[in-house]
Amino acid sequence: MMKVIKIYEPSMCCSTGVCGPSVDTELLRITALMNQLNKNQKQMERYNLTDHPMVFVEEQIVNLLLNDKGTDVLPITVVNGKIVKTGAYPSNDEIEKFLSITLEDKNVENTKSSYCCNDGCC
């Protein structure tokens, strides 16, 4: 069975990290990793509380944790239905471990602004 990482993120206007007063390099890394992982098959999904509130409600373990601990636990990383990390994005090494894979490019720090805001929100 293929493992899938689902990351439940706090509210934000844009998931790329290039919006706002400064660039969020961590979001850029996660965006680039997701593109790399999903190039051949879908292995990573991200949900933003602003854009996907019903996904947070429907994923029972995420909903229970948010009700118990509040939004400070975001981002929440879930692998095949099990919470594996809270309060920070997984590192590249953790992603390799969670998915039992070797990343093609471990130095993912893609800064392409083309990921940002196709809808013009920036």
Side-chain angles (χ1 to χ4, degrees), residues 7 14-15 19 23 29 33 35-36 41 45 69-70 73 76-77 81 88 95-96 112 116 120-121:
I7 299 178
C14 180
S15 62
C19 298
V23 174
R29 180 183 66 82
L33 272 174
N35 290 336
Q36 182 185 139
Q41 55 188 333
E45 299 170 10
K69 305 283 185 183
V73 296
I76 299 170
T77 303
I95 288 173
E96 286 184 320
K112 292 180 183 176
C116 183
C121 72

Side-chain angles (χ1 to χ4, degrees), residues 13-98:
C13 80
C14 180
S15 62
T16 62
V18 296
C19 298
S22 63
V23 174
D24 186 331
T25 57
E26 189 68 345
L27 286 177
L28 287 173
R29 180 183 66 82
I30 291 296
T31 299
L33 272 174
M34 185 166 142
N35 290 336
Q36 182 185 139
L37 290 170
N38 294 344
K39 193 169 19 178
N40 298 321
Q41 55 188 333
K42 197 170 194 171
Q43 289 188 286
M44 180 184 274
E45 299 170 10
R46 293 170 64 194
Y47 301 103
N48 177 318
L49 189 55
T50 302
D51 297 330
H52 311 100
M54 287 309 296
V55 174
F56 284 71
V57 172
E58 294 169 357
E59 182 67 62
Q60 192 171 19
I61 58 172
V62 171
N63 191 9
L64 288 171
L65 186 60
L66 283 173
N67 285 330
D68 186 43
K69 305 283 185 183
T71 57
D72 288 344
V73 296
L74 296 171
I76 299 170
T77 303
V78 176
V79 177
N80 287 12
K82 180 180 176 186
I83 293 174
V84 294
K85 185 165 187 165
T86 62
Y89 288 97
S91 69
N92 293 2
D93 290 339
E94 288 172 324
I95 288 173
E96 286 184 320
K97 180 182 167 193
F98 296 153

